Amino acid sequence: MTDAGILEAPYRGADIKIHGPEGFEGMRKAGRLAAECLDMLTPNVVPGVETQYLDDLARNFILEHGALPACLFYKGYGKTVCISPNHVVCHGIPGGRTNLRLSEGDIVNIDVTVIVDGGWHGDTSRMYLVGEVSPKARRLVSVMYEGMARGLAAVKPGARMGDVGHAIQAYVESQRCSVVRDFCGHGLGQVFHDNPNVLHYGRRGEGEVLKPGMFFTVEPMVNLGRFDVKVLSDGWTAVTRDKSLSAQCEHSIGVTETGFEIFTQSPAGLFMPAGL
């Protein structure tokens, strides 16, 4: 495989794209495959596993299903997935110097994006609990998932993007956690990262008006400590400045006439870790 198929995808535009039935069909196929990839990884996320092994499993799975791994060669990124344990907020590099293997008690986010027929992108991530984790780590993951659920519940035609961010922020901060400001969700479809930007904090009644046919991700990053982050010298790995734990999950969704459709639901019901 070369990077040509990825780089030829349409570029991000200034406007927010509105998609019809063909787009919904394409996104359903892309989203399902991305979710199936994370389902496949689930029994392999165990203490002692090498993160490069997980990346290899994901790449082989995607290629065997006739799709492309969107992250591979994207802006120079050399891996198929991002694996972000503990205080890594996002974009952890599998097999990297500080990301060689998972240990008992880790919490870890794995993020995958696939490209299927006609360039449709399925982008999703979820949390995994590695062995027995601490009560505070389990609570953080639970708060993050509930915050995302509240953000999704705010998605409907006529609502504004700020309503989504406010719903997430209000709940997360009520639980004495924080929402990361430096990264956000994004539009997608036949472009990996498109308009609109999706902030996971904000004020009701502000931001873009949601319209049927809009596709975007909701992917809150929630820290146990402060929301401040920094990017390491590799140019990708983002970590909490205070070294507190961080958790994230992500769905790709489309706005419908009555609400929203999640494209990246887990066929095996594994989107949330067991016991949350």
Side-chain angles (χ1 to χ4, degrees):
M1 184 189 70
T2 70
D3 57 356
I6 297 173
L7 296 180
E8 289 172 359
Y11 291 104
R12 178 174 183 147
D15 298 325
I16 298 173
K17 297 178 178 65
I18 301 297
H19 302 84
E22 179 183 357
F24 275 84
E25 285 301 316
M27 290 298 289
R28 288 178 189 128
K29 183 174 181 180
R32 181 180 178 90
L33 183 62
E36 288 175 339
C37 181
L38 293 183
D39 285 352
M40 176 275 299
L41 290 177
T42 298
N44 297 283
V45 182
V46 295
V49 68
E50 293 185 353
T51 55
Q52 182 59 57
Y53 174 70
L54 298 176
D55 192 74
D56 292 342
L57 285 178
R59 182 171 62 257
N60 292 337
F61 179 88
I62 293 166
L63 295 175
E64 287 169 0
H65 284 79
L68 290 172
C71 290
L72 192 61
F73 306 125
Y74 180 77
K75 295 185 177 181
Y77 190 75
K79 304 293 181 176
T80 296
V81 299
C82 296
I83 300 180
S84 304
N86 301 323
H87 74 292
V88 178
V89 175
C90 59
H91 304 158
I93 303 173
R97 183 169 55 87
T98 59
N99 195 1
L100 292 175
R101 64 179 69 243
L102 301 179
S103 300
E104 178 81 20
D106 284 349
I107 59 172
V108 60
N109 175 273
I110 302 182
D111 189 336
V112 63
T113 307
V114 305
I115 307 173
V116 303
D117 305 344
W120 298 105
H121 290 69
D123 188 3
T124 186
S125 79
R126 66 180 73 155
M127 293 300 295
Y128 298 82
L129 309 182
V130 185
E132 292 295 324
V133 306
S134 68
K136 69 176 182 179
R138 183 177 291 273
R139 178 179 177 275
L140 171 67
V141 174
S142 179
V143 167
M144 182 272 302
Y145 272 100
E146 178 62 21
M148 181 190 196
R150 295 188 182 213
L152 289 174
V155 175
K156 60 183 178 181
R160 290 184 177 269
M161 201 63 78
D163 301 340
V164 178
H166 175 80
I168 296 169
Q169 180 185 11
Y171 175 73
V172 168
E173 292 182 353
S174 77
Q175 301 301 305
R176 302 182 303 283
C177 297
S178 64
V179 178
V180 170
R181 287 3 184 218
D182 293 59
F183 299 95
C184 62
H186 53 89
L188 81 170
Q190 291 183 297
V191 178
F192 191 172
H193 295 101
D194 207 350
N195 286 321
N197 289 331
V198 182
L199 303 184
H200 303 112
Y201 61 95
R203 297 180 179 178
R204 291 192 186 103
E206 296 185 350
E208 294 88 353
V209 176
L210 304 185
K211 300 177 182 178
M214 291 172 61
F215 296 164
F216 53 85
T217 68
V218 178
E219 47 181 302
M221 287 147 273
V222 175
N223 296 346
L224 196 58
R226 293 181 54 82
F227 59 72
D228 308 272
V229 307
K230 65 178 179 179
V231 177
L232 301 184
S233 59
D234 60 28
W236 288 100
T237 307
V239 301
T240 56
R241 283 191 175 273
D242 61 8
K243 298 185 178 180
S244 64
L245 293 174
S246 186
Q248 180 193 17
C249 62
E250 175 183 15
H251 271 319
S252 297
I253 70 170
V255 182
T256 67
E257 295 292 339
T258 57
F260 64 95
E261 177 179 346
I262 297 176
F263 300 126
T264 47
Q265 290 279 25
S266 164
L270 300 175
F271 182 65
M272 291 179 63
L276 286 188

